[in-house]
Amino acid sequence: MEMKVLGCALLFPFQIVFSILKATVRFFTRQKRRDLGTDVVLITGGGRGIGRHLAKEFAKQGARKVILWGRTEKCLKETCEEISMTGTECHYFVCDVGNREEVYQQAKVLREKVGDVTILVNNAAVVHGKSLMESDDDALLKTQHINTLGQFWTTKAFLPRMLELCNGHVVCINSILSLSSIPGAIDYCTSKASSYAFMESLTLGLLDCPGVGCTTVLPFHTDTEMFQGMRVRFPKLFPPLNPEMVAERTVDAVRTNTAFVVLPWTMHFLVILKSLLPQSALEEIHKFSGSYTCMNTFKGRT
Amino acid sequence: MNIFVEFFLVMLKVCWAIVMAGFKWLIRPKEKSVAGQVCVITGAGGGLGRLFAKEFARRRATLVLWDINSHSNEETAEMVRQIYREQDNPMSKEGAVGGVEEVPPFQPQVYTYVLDVGKRESVYSTAEKVRREVGEVDLLINNAGVVSGHHLLECPDELIERTMVVNCHAHFWTTKAFLPKMLEMNHGHIVTVASSLGLFSTAGVEDYCASKFGAIGFHESLSHEIQASEKDGIKMTLVCPYLVDTGMFRGCRIRKEIEPFLPPLRPEFCVKQAMRAILTDQPMICTPRIVYMVNFMKSILPFEAIVCMYRFLGADKCMYPFLAQRKEAMNNNEAKNGI
């Protein structure tokens, strides 16, 4: 017994080093990728923004079927038609993921009409872009329900079947703001932090489940309607991300079963700094980088 | 060109901040007085909330106790009154011995309110009542917390929602209720009692981890908002204790061999450390200190290495015994009810 513990203790640093080397090698080399030919992909918030590009990318990479959920039928219809023209079977359903009953009902309809979902992409998100004191209570709750609880309901609806079949993937389009908050988006930061924890906990829980994986993508500010008007102080140093690139990297991560993806890679330093520096130092850095004022010009979607 | 000057200045400020932080760590700053100040504690009926109430009572703060359970809330209030009386007796003696009539010292009081902090209307109406009956609030301790104790796929949806509402959304309402006046007066302190599970997750308690991460995300975002509005009189403190031995997570355990090095915290120790942080306006406190180290390791290591670390510590599945025990307890209850 003592020898076993001692063995584990001695092996531990080597495991750490090996994992680091493995991650480094993976970063630089091309890996074996999962074939999407048998996969049915469900994308929440699939009508526009990153969701739309994700749908196109999954279709391009050979997914068998793509299903779009969203709250605006017009956008869903447009995206659906566009994808159908490329030859991939595509369906859409109007569904507000913040509404639990609606999620479960639509999930049942989906199973009957289309079949089992094997890749679930939780992309639906809203942001109101106001400070706490200016925020309306119902708006705060709506953000929590769509961005966080919606993810609970969709996962509860589809994960059991994935586990039964030993085949599935849960994807979450999160944000770097879940790890590094900013003023002016307190509802969004709170909900994305919750969402991140959910995915981390789920990822740890599913490590022992064969065939089922998780991917969490944490992009920096992306050039979409959702954060329209948000202004970064050094746009050349930290340019807004291209939604096509985000979608591409997301699908790549799904196919290589990568657990966490931070975009761009340099955002890792932000996270490291946050856990290293005292609070007052971080505040100075935030001020300099313009984090305190970037939401002042926010317009978003109306 | 002025950009580089500004960058240089920021670097200087950052270095100075690091030096000051080291200095504060070496030389403990003087603790501020909270005597006579109004302190609201949510979840005051038990666990850490009760201990916070007692500590603030020892420092002669006026206490406003919020809890959903009126009986345990009154119990806490009685303990607080006992502490007030104990502190009054020596002064009375001195007065008597001295033979000189003294001005009666300020008499702190304790008030109790029964409400569900998860219900927005309750929070707002009770806050209004507090303002009328007690006065303006100086300290807000967001401590209320619940845990569902179920695996995600087995957990009733209502319990998931309740965990999010009590542990995270309630902070919106309490803060919205009391912060405007604090901002107006440029004086106040908001404390968020979270958990180390708000810094790194573990399997099996997805809803609890999500709610605590959310509470921390809220706290940090609010910190930045207050900083951006340049109200330096309002302080914020985040308390992230490792597992506390309050019975909330009974049965939870990490690896057997590691447990002697990382035992569950004694609640009294945890609250003592937190009180020191609050009274010295420290932005964040993790108890024990190794939590800082784990947090840092987590930020620099790739995910596979983090998994190795978790597995070595037994932290990735540490909640499974807790969940199993909870399920067993529920089955026993069902059996009793069946009989």
Side-chain angles (χ1 to χ4, degrees), chain A residues 140-153:
Chain A
L140 289 170
L141 278 183
K142 182 184 168 189
T143 305
Q144 306 307 307
H145 278 97
I146 291 178
N147 296 4
T148 304
L149 286 166
Q151 199 174 315
F152 281 81
W153 312 143

Side-chain angles (χ1 to χ4, degrees), chain B residues 239-243 265 269-270 273-274 285-289 291-292:
Chain B
V239 180
C240 293
Y242 176 61
L243 295 168
L265 293 179
F269 172 73
C270 172
Q273 294 293 107
I285 176 132
C286 294
T287 310
R289 284 215 167 84
V291 174
Y292 293 115

